[in-house]
Amino acid sequence: MENSVLKSVKGTKDFLPKEQAQRNWIRRTLEAVFEAYGCKPLETPTLQYYELLASKYGGGDEILKEVYRLSDQGERELALRYDLTVPLAKVVGMNPEMRLPFKRYEIGKVFRDGPVKTGRLREFIQCDVDIVGTSSMLAEAELISMAFAAFAKLGLDVYIEVNNRKLLSGVLQELGVPAERAGDVMLSLDKLEKIGVEGVRDDLRERQVEEPLVAAITAFLQKGALTLDALAKQFSSDTFRQGVQELQELFDYLQGAGVSGEVRFSPFLARGLGIYTGTVYEIFLQDRSIASSIGSGGRFDEIIGRFLGDGRAYPAVGISFGLDVILAALSMREASGRAAADVLVIPLGTETLGLGLANRLRASGLRVELELAGRKLKKALDYANKEGIAYALIYGENEVNSGQVIVRDMRQGSEEAVALDSVSSWLSRRL
């Protein structure tokens, strides 16, 4: 094989054992939190019909530019999924007997032929939770509570920015922004924190927004008072009021339930303009070591019903975590990751008995590696040290005859003789 082909496709990478072990730990941690919140596991195919993914109620024209298209031997037009939401809609439509609300989680690979950046490759893993079949703000409160619980388990300090699409739409209506220009204005306002009022004004002009509207929006921003209470004193449309009511209900749930974690009201947060209908939220690291969000979501009450076209209503709300961006965040903290094993059994001329000992320890729930290469004791201990294995068990003829095993604490450099019949409990107490 020529060396020129020994490389990964752009936007993909190989995850070697140490990094993959940490990815597996992130996945298991998230799964445990999801299941603690009563979410049911779901797995959908990576390969989907292109027609399904290209539905006008899917991700929209921009996302379709990034779809990997292919055809099979039957000349069927297929594609690799770009998210986990469209496949969820398909599952709901194919299972009309499904009991609602349906709360599912799915962790799986998705593919987008888009820009490569920190924590976002072209092949990446999404970790999604969606609740289909309820309009209650209690669902949003549960997802936000779950997000804080998940990141606490992962050891990451985060805050969540929250807005409501109805509130933002109501503000723009009262400022005189016509519906056909609302999307452009929302995209400009979403940049306020980064580019300031003057930057937003320039961005609106670049989008060819009419000058009277630019002036009205700029004047509004220059007033500065953008808290929920301040906005509630300035605007009064039904759409705006509905958004305010939903946000206040959400905040009341979070506060009343004692949900720990910082939630910030962000009046110009605009996500998925063609998808979200109510609450929207993004999750950020408190130290902003990664500038982009590491999780996001919102309410999409209309998409599944329109997508399926069966006349039923499917109110839904979801949240998505990027596994690889979480890995990038942990790596920036120089997290050492977890060793692949807790114990290394080193047989010295006692290979058969060593395998039996390793299997007994594994049966007790310990993660055990057996020295297979026949290395001398010093080299085997050096291997355990480099791999971050906590304990090495030295098991030779003398230990067999005495009914003991020598346990070496690789962290402390100390050794202790432990009876064979109690070594499992001895290790379990210390790991």
Side-chain angles (χ1 to χ4, degrees), residues 210-220:
E210 294 77 1
E211 195 59 35
L213 283 179
V214 173
I217 294 166
T218 303
F220 163 64

Side-chain angles (χ1 to χ4, degrees), residues 169-345:
S169 296
V171 168
L172 298 189
Q173 287 172 12
E174 293 194 57
L175 289 175
V177 178
E180 64 271 15
R181 300 315 307 266
D184 280 332
V185 174
M186 286 182 185
L187 291 174
S188 291
L189 290 173
D190 195 31
K191 301 177 182 179
L192 177 64
E193 186 176 335
K194 294 179 181 177
I195 63 178
V197 176
E198 300 302 317
V200 169
R201 182 183 62 188
D202 294 341
D203 190 73
L204 289 169
R205 286 172 175 164
E206 286 181 17
R207 295 175 186 276
Q208 298 183 335
V209 174
E210 294 77 1
E211 195 59 35
L213 283 179
V214 173
I217 294 166
T218 303
F220 163 64
L221 295 178
Q222 288 172 336
K223 292 179 181 178
L226 298 175
T227 64
L228 188 57
D229 289 340
L231 290 174
K233 293 175 182 177
Q234 297 179 62
F235 301 97
S236 59
S237 71
D238 290 342
T239 302
F240 173 83
R241 290 294 178 193
Q242 189 174 354
V244 170
Q245 181 179 346
E246 290 179 0
L247 277 178
Q248 288 176 334
E249 186 177 354
L250 172 60
F251 295 149
D252 287 345
Y253 278 134
L254 294 172
Q255 184 177 5
V259 173
S260 60
E262 182 184 1
V263 179
R264 303 179 185 177
F265 169 59
S266 180
F268 302 128
L269 176 62
R271 293 184 36 75
L273 297 183
I275 297 174
Y276 294 111
T277 57
T279 317
V280 290
Y281 34 81
E282 289 191 333
I283 306 167
F284 295 93
L285 294 172
Q286 284 280 5
D287 64 9
R288 295 306 293 264
S289 54
I290 294 178
S292 61
S293 64
I294 60 172
S296 59
R299 177 163 287 279
F300 51 105
D301 282 347
E302 300 174 1
I303 295 300
I304 295 180
R306 289 179 179 176
F307 188 87
L308 300 178
D310 61 3
R312 294 179 63 187
Y314 297 93
V317 62
I319 196 164
S320 179
F321 307 96
L323 186 145
D324 294 310
V325 74
I326 291 172
L327 176 65
L330 291 172
S331 299
M332 287 179 178
R333 284 152 179 73
E334 299 180 345
S336 60
R338 192 183 183 201
D342 302 311
V343 179
L344 174 66
V345 173

